[in-house]
Amino acid sequence: MSARSSEVTRPSLFWPVAVVVIPLVSLLAKIRVVGAEKLPGEGSFVLAPNHYSEFDPLVVAVAVWRAGRAPRFMAKESLFRIPVLGWIMRRTGMIPVARTSSATAAKQTMKQSAELVEHGRGVIVYPEGTLTRDPELWPMRGKSGAVRLALADGIPLVPMAQWGTQEIMGRYQKGLSLWPLRKPVRVLIGDPIDVSDLRGRAGEQAALTEATTRLMNAITVLLEQLRDEKAPAERWNPTTHGQKETGRLDS
């Protein structure tokens, strides 16, 4: 495991939340984290996991906390307007994402990136933007939100894969599968992705596409290791299959 950072050891609102959330999640999932040392012990980072269950964020949050960092997510702006929840999200440093024009979104990304560097915080971004539409739960086409943040200020871009959560809550499932308790869930964190050659072209679509491809490839390789099988040669693209994507973290 990586050294626990001051954001975890210093008293904060994360402490009472962790006291409630971690025991509940641990009752449902026996989480094994491999590669936690690859998450920076201090400073900013962008962590990009795969996403196929509404229960995923809780697994990822517990894994990041165990790795010694505070789990902060990039979340829909509308969630910040919900009483109590919005207050907690703002106080814990979650990052709101607005559905805005590309020019405004780019400016917002630069601001968010600078704030991450300034405060030495990490952020968790689902690069698919929503639950994967792939029939076999492999990562689908990625979007550029995660790489935009990373490229803007040279922030480490760290891939993550997790597998087993679908046994607790399947994709689009209503409610949890409670029995048996402590279902095994494995989390694998990979090496930061080298996008140094693209940082001077962070405003170019071609560079964003290339960085996103590298990220999705890395996440897929990690998931192949967890599942002990090969992913399809062609990544699932909802548009070509006539599927509507409800989430958005830049196109």
Side-chain angles (χ1 to χ4, degrees):
M1 291 286 185
S2 58
R4 298 180 69 80
S5 71
S6 58
E7 64 183 3
V8 170
T9 57
R10 184 175 58 242
S12 71
L13 187 58
F14 278 105
W15 279 21
V17 173
V19 166
V20 174
V21 172
I22 292 179
L24 291 177
V25 174
S26 298
L27 185 64
L28 298 174
K30 184 178 181 181
I31 303 173
R32 181 191 176 200
V33 183
V34 175
E37 72 282 353
K38 296 178 181 179
L39 200 63
E42 296 288 347
S44 55
F45 63 87
V46 176
L47 181 65
N50 62 321
H51 194 23
Y52 58 84
S53 168
E54 297 288 2
F55 197 77
D56 289 348
L58 291 174
V59 169
V60 172
V62 171
V64 170
W65 184 262
R66 287 183 181 175
R69 297 303 305 265
R72 296 182 174 90
F73 288 84
M74 181 174 281
K76 293 186 295 185
E77 188 180 43
S78 59
L79 295 176
F80 289 77
R81 295 194 289 270
I82 299 175
V84 183
L85 175 62
W87 181 84
I88 292 175
M89 293 177 72
R90 285 190 294 272
R91 290 296 298 270
T92 54
M94 305 294 174
I95 297 179
V97 179
R99 295 175 181 269
T100 58
S101 65
S102 58
T104 303
K107 184 176 180 180
Q108 182 186 48
T109 298
M110 294 292 290
K111 179 176 180 293
Q112 292 168 339
S113 177
E115 289 175 350
L116 287 178
V117 173
E118 178 184 355
H119 297 291
R121 293 174 173 176
V123 64
I124 302 161
V125 183
Y126 285 108
E128 296 162 274
T130 186
L131 300 180
T132 180
R133 299 293 193 268
D134 184 275
E136 301 300 322
L137 304 182
W138 290 103
M140 66 175 180
R141 183 194 70 162
K143 299 185 179 182
S144 63
V147 301
R148 284 178 186 271
L149 278 176
L151 288 173
D153 276 288
I155 300 173
L157 178 61
V158 184
M160 169 192 274
Q162 52 86 27
W163 188 244
T165 309
Q166 74 279 5
E167 300 298 331
I168 300 171
M169 187 177 192
R171 183 178 54 183
Y172 311 131
Q173 177 180 327
K174 295 185 182 298
L176 302 173
S177 298
L178 300 178
W179 191 262
L181 297 175
R182 291 182 59 75
K183 296 180 179 71
V185 176
R186 292 180 296 157
V187 176
L188 182 57
I189 301 174
D191 293 310
I193 298 168
D194 184 8
V195 290
S196 57
D197 58 314
L198 302 174
R199 284 184 183 136
R201 302 164 50 208
E204 300 177 18
Q205 186 58 49
L208 294 174
T209 299
E210 172 60 24
T212 302
T213 297
R214 294 181 192 179
L215 173 60
M216 298 312 299
N217 286 345
I219 295 171
T220 301
V221 168
L222 293 176
L223 188 56
E224 286 178 333
Q225 294 178 44
L226 291 177
R227 295 177 59 165
D228 194 24
E229 57 183 313
K230 293 294 292 183
E234 184 177 349
R235 187 166 292 120
W236 189 268
N237 187 337
T239 303
T240 61
H241 291 84
Q243 296 175 320
K244 183 179 180 180
E245 298 178 76
T246 57
R248 181 185 174 207
L249 284 178
D250 297 331
S251 57

